[in-house]
C-alpha cells in the first residue's frame, strides 16, 4: 500500500520528514497522515523562529497521541441476534485542558479517522480560547435503521467500558456524526448509573438536565458567523448569496437556518444516498420539513422532492470521480457532511460556478489539492478547525455553566458564540500575516492553534 500523502508543498523536506516518521509507524492511517500534513505544512517558519520547539521536539511529541483506548461493544438486536462492534477513545493532547471532542457512530469509523479527528480537535479547541484539550472517539456501529431500544442497548454497552476513561475533569465527549441528543441521553444515563454521580461528563445534553441552550445550533451558526466575517473582510456580506450546503444533519440544518437569517439562500442539501437542488431556495418552512424528516422520522433527503416539486434529487454515484452538488452555480459553499467530500475536480467546479467563499462546517471536507485550487483561484477558505469551532466552543461554555450550576440565556450564549467566532477569525488572519502567509486562513489557524499548545507543553516539561 502506498502510504505517502501528496503534500501541498511537496518539495518541502520539512513536511516529509514528519510524514515519513508517521508513515513508518502507522502505515495504514491515510486520514491521520492527511490531517498531520495539513498542519505541519504551516509550521516550518514557526519552528525556525522559535528554536526551542525544535530542541524540545514539541512537534514530534504532539504527533503522538497521549493515549488510545480500543474496546469491544457487545449488544443484542431486537430480534435476539448478538452483535459485536468496536469502540474507541483517543486522548490526543491535554496540554491546555481535559480532552474534549465528539463521539462518531458510523460504519466507516476506524482508528485512522478518529486520530485525524482528535488531532484536528487539538488546534480547533486551542483556537476557541477555552481551556480544552483534543480528543475524539466513537464506534463502527451504524445507528441508521436501528430502533430506539437497539440504540439504547448499544449506548449502554459502549458506556459500560468508556466510563473508566472519561470524567468531567479528564475527558468530556460530545456528539458528532450519528451521535445526537438521543445518543447523548442514553450515554449519560448509563454513566450516571454506573458512577453514581451527576456531572458534566458529556456535553450536548438537553437543556432540562444540564445542557447549554444553543449547543445544537452552535456548529452551523458558527460556520456562518465565520463566513460572514470572511465576507466582511473581503468588503462584502452574505446577504443575497446563493449557498451550496452538503449534509442534512445537525451542522447542515443550522447552517441553513443562520444563512436564512442573514439574508442568504441555501439551495442544496445531501445525505449519503443523494443530494437535492432547490433553485427556489430552502426557506424556513422547507427547513422545518427537513428537520422533522431527518431528526424525528430519520428518513432520506430524497423525500424532500416528493414534497417540494421545485427541487430535483440525484443519487450519489461513488464511482463518478466528482460530486455534481459542487457544480451548481452559487456564491458560497458550506460542506457540512464528512471528510474529503470536495476533491480537486469539485474545487474546479466550485470556482467555475462562481463560488468565492467556502466555510467548512465538516471536519477536513476539502482534500489538500482542492484547497490549493480554491486558494489559488482567490476563493476565501475557512478551514474546519476554525470555521466549525463554534460547536466545541459552546460545549466549553456548557462545561462552565455545569460547574457553576448556572444557566445562561440563548442571547447570552449567542453573544459569546459570535464573539468567539469573531476572535478566531481575527487570530487566524493575524497569525497568518505574522508568519508570511498573508490572508491564508489555513496557515493562520494551524499556527495560532499550535503556538498555544506548544507553549503549554514546554511549560509542563516532558510528560
Ligand atoms: P450528522 O450525523 O447530524 O449528519 C451528517 C450528515 O452527513 C448526514 O446528512 C449524513 O448522511 C451525511 N454523511 C455522513 N457520512 C457521509 C458520507 N460518508 N458520505 C456522504 N454523506 C455522509 O452529523 P453532524 O452534522 O454532526 O456532522 C457533520 C460534519 O460536521 C462531520 O464532519 C462532523 O465531524 C463535523 N462537525 C460536527 C460538529 C457538531 O457539533 N455536530 C462539530 C464540529 C464538526 P446520512 O443521513 O445518510 O448518514
Amino acid at each position: 500500500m502506498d502510504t505517502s500523502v501528496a503534500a501541498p508543498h511537496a518539495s518541502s523536506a520539512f513536511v516529509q520528514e514528519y510524514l515519513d516518521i508517521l508513515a513508518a509507524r502507522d502505515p495504514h492511517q491515510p486520514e491521520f497522515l492527511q490531517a498531520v500534513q495539513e498542519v505541519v505544512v504551516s509550521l516550518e517558519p514557526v519552528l525556525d523562529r522559535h528554536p526551542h520547539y525544535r530542541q524540545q521536539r514539541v512537534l514530534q511529541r504532539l504527533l503522538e497521541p497521549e493515549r488510545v483506548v480500543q474496546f469491544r461493544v457487545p449488544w443484542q438486536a431486537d430480534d435476539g441476534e448478538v452483535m459485536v462492534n468496536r469502540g474507541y477513545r483517543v486522548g490526543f493532547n491535554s496540554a491546555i485542558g481535559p480532552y474534549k471532542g465528539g463521539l462518531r457512530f458510523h460504519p466507516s469509523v476506524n482508528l485512522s479517522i478518529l486520530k485525524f479527528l482528535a488531532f484536528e480537535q487539538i488546534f480547533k479547541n486551542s483556537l476557541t480560547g477555552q481551556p480544552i484539550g483534543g480528543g475524539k472517539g466513537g464506534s463502527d456501529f451504524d445507528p441508521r435503521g436501528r430502533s430506539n431500544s437497539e440504540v439504547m442497548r448499544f449506548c449502554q454497552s459502549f458506556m459500560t467500558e468508556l466510563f473508566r476513561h472519561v470524567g468531567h475533569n479528564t475527558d468530556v465527549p460530545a456528539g458528532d456524526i450519528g451521535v445526537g441528543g438521543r445518543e447523548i441521553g442514553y450515554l449519560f444515563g448509563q454513566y450516571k448509573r454506573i458512577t453514581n454521580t451527576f456531572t458534566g461528563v458529556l456535553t450536548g445534553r438537553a437543556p432540562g438536565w444540564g445542557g447549554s441552550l444553543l449547543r445544537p445550533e452552535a456548529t452551523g451558526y458558527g460556520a456562518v458567523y465565520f463566513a460572514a466575517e470572511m465576507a466582511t473582510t473581503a468588503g462584502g456580506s452574505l446577504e443575497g448569496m446563493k449557498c451550496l450546503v452538503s449534509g442534512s444533519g445537525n451542522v447542515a440544518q443550522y447552517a441553513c437556518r443562520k444563512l436564512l437569517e442573514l439574508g442568504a439562500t441555501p439551495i442544496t442539501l445531501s445525505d449519503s444516498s443523494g443530494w437535492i437542488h432547490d433553485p427556489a431556495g430552502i426557506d424556513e418552512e422547507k427547513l422545518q420539513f427537513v428537520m422533522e424528516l431527518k431528526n424525528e422520522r430519520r428518513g432520506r433527503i430524497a423525500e424532500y422532492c416528493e414534497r417540494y416539486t421545485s427541487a430535483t434529487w440525484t443519487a450519489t454515484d461513488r464511482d463518478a470521480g466528482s460530486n455534481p452538488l459542487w457544480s451548481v452555480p452559487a456564491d458560497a459553499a458550506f460542506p457540512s457532511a464528512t471528510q474529503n467530500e470536495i476533491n480537486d475536480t469539485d474545487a474546479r467546479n466550485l470556482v467555475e460556478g462562481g463560488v468565492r467563499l467556502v466555510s467548512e462546517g465538516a471536519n477536513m471536507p476539502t482534500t489538500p489539492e482542492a484547497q490549493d485550487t480554491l486558494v489559488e483561484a482567490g476563493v476565501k477558505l475557512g478551514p474546519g478547525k476554525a470555521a466549525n469551532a463554534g460547536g466545541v466552543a459552546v460545549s466549553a461554555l456548557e462545561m462552565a455553566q455545569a460547574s457553576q450550576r448556572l444557566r445562561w440565556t440563548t442571547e447570552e450564549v449567542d453573544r459569546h458564540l459570535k464573539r468567539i467566532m469573531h476572535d478566531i477569525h481575527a487570530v487566524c488572519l493575524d497569525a497568518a500575516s505574522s508568519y508570511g502567509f498573508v490572508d491564508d486562513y489555513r496557515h493562520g489557524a494551524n499556527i495560532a492553534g499550535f503556538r498555544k499548545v506548544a507553549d503549554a507543553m514546554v511549560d509542563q516539561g516532558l510528560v
Side-chain angles (χ1 to χ4, degrees):
M1 180 183 168
D2 179 10
T3 53
S4 68
V5 179
H9 304 287
S11 57
S12 166
F14 173 83
V15 175
Q16 210 51 52
E17 177 193 332
Y18 290 94
L19 291 182
D20 286 347
I21 297 171
L22 287 187
R25 252 188 202 164
D26 299 310
H28 305 299
Q29 299 187 351
E31 292 87 357
F32 175 53
L33 292 187
Q34 183 183 334
V36 168
Q37 172 204 307
E38 286 188 16
V39 170
V40 172
V41 88
S42 307
L43 298 181
E44 189 165 12
V46 182
L47 268 60
D48 286 346
R49 196 180 297 177
H50 309 279
H52 65 293
Y53 291 153
R54 266 209 179 89
Q55 281 151 13
Q56 305 217 8
R57 299 232 155 140
V58 170
L59 187 49
Q60 284 95 329
R61 285 156 58 199
L62 189 62
L63 297 180
E64 192 61 26
E66 289 173 10
R67 69 183 192 197
V68 176
V69 185
Q70 181 186 311
F71 50 94
R72 181 176 69 202
V73 190
W75 57 284
Q76 202 160 23
D78 286 343
D79 63 5
E81 191 180 351
V82 171
M83 315 294 282
V84 184
N85 284 98
R86 210 172 243 193
Y88 306 87
R89 187 72 186 164
V90 178
F92 219 117
N93 191 290
S94 62
I96 62 169
Y99 307 118
K100 180 92 197 83
L103 295 171
R104 177 176 290 191
F105 291 170
H106 192 270
S108 64
V109 162
N110 57 37
L111 195 52
S112 173
I113 288 179
L114 294 180
K115 278 176 69 182
F116 119 61
L117 289 164
F119 184 70
E120 288 256 313
Q121 198 82 41
I122 302 169
F123 304 91
K124 181 188 315 196
N125 293 3
S126 165
L127 285 171
T128 66
Q130 304 291 315
I132 40 180
K136 200 84 186 187
S139 172
D140 58 358
F141 169 69
D142 188 354
R144 285 172 303 183
R146 291 290 171 193
S147 70
N148 279 340
S149 317
E150 289 177 317
V151 170
M152 182 177 74
R153 285 195 293 277
F154 174 81
C155 287
Q156 290 176 340
S157 180
F158 184 85
M159 185 51 86
T160 300
E161 178 58 35
L162 186 71
F163 89 96
R164 297 173 218 287
H165 312 290
V166 295
H168 66 290
N169 286 325
T170 315
D171 184 353
V172 183
D176 190 74
I177 291 177
V179 179
R182 173 182 63 169
E183 290 77 14
I184 293 290
Y186 295 147
L187 291 163
F188 183 83
Q190 184 72 349
Y191 182 85
K192 179 169 66 79
R193 184 184 196 192
I194 294 173
T195 62
N196 196 30
T197 57
F198 192 114
T199 66
V201 65
L202 290 157
T203 55
R205 299 181 303 252
W209 44 278
S212 174
L213 293 169
L214 219 75
R215 174 59 189 92
E217 292 88 343
T219 306
Y221 279 17
V224 176
Y225 288 149
F226 195 88
E229 294 279 347
M230 289 197 288
T232 308
T233 304
S237 89
L238 295 184
E239 199 176 343
M241 281 196 175
K242 282 199 184 331
C243 302
L244 308 178
V245 181
S246 64
S248 50
N250 173 269
V251 179
Q253 292 171 13
Y254 289 107
C256 285
R257 168 150 307 149
K258 189 50 77 178
L259 285 171
L260 290 170
E261 278 178 30
L262 297 187
T265 309
I267 55 172
T268 60
L269 283 171
S270 67
D271 61 21
S272 48
S273 317
W275 63 282
I276 59 119
H277 175 208
D278 188 345
I282 300 163
D283 61 19
E284 181 56 37
E285 187 236 303
K286 293 169 178 173
L287 181 58
Q288 282 293 338
F289 170 79
V290 171
M291 287 178 159
E292 193 268 332
L293 170 73
K294 298 304 281 189
N295 308 346
E296 311 297 327
R297 287 194 284 125
R298 301 187 188 274
R300 311 306 297 157
I301 199 68
E303 283 183 49
Y304 182 100
C305 297
E306 292 163 20
R307 177 75 170 259
Y308 302 107
T309 49
S310 54
T312 50
W313 177 79
T314 311
T316 303
D317 177 0
R318 293 192 200 289
D319 300 323
S322 69
N323 179 351
L325 186 157
W326 306 119
S327 306
V328 176
D331 304 297
F334 295 80
S336 306
T338 193
Q339 64 273 3
N340 293 330
E341 53 171 315
I342 298 180
N343 65 20
D344 198 32
T345 309
D346 298 321
R348 285 175 208 285
N349 291 338
L350 283 168
V351 172
E352 233 169 74
V355 164
R356 308 188 299 275
L357 187 155
V358 175
S359 183
E360 295 184 341
N363 286 310
M364 208 168 75
T366 315
T367 65
E369 300 75 20
Q371 290 177 27
D372 285 346
T373 296
L374 292 171
V375 171
E376 279 160 23
V379 174
K380 298 285 169 208
L381 174 61
K385 53 175 86 67
N388 71 37
V392 74
V394 172
S395 278
L397 302 182
E398 181 172 324
M399 289 162 73
Q401 292 170 77
S403 62
Q404 296 171 72
R405 306 220 188 275
L406 280 177
R407 187 159 158 217
W408 300 343
T409 63
T410 303
E411 292 70 29
E412 276 174 287
V413 180
D414 195 35
R415 210 169 42 246
H416 282 290
L417 174 62
K418 255 194 208 139
R419 180 188 47 79
I420 289 170
M421 298 315 296
H422 170 86
D423 291 352
I424 293 174
H425 177 269
V427 158
C428 288
L429 281 186
D430 190 44
S433 69
S434 303
Y435 287 88
F437 298 109
V438 178
D439 287 347
D440 193 324
Y441 291 94
R442 299 173 300 170
H443 295 298
N446 291 336
I447 293 169
F450 171 78
R451 288 229 44 210
K452 189 169 158 200
V453 175
D455 287 344
M457 289 174 70
V458 170
D459 289 346
Q460 292 167 24
L462 275 183
V463 292

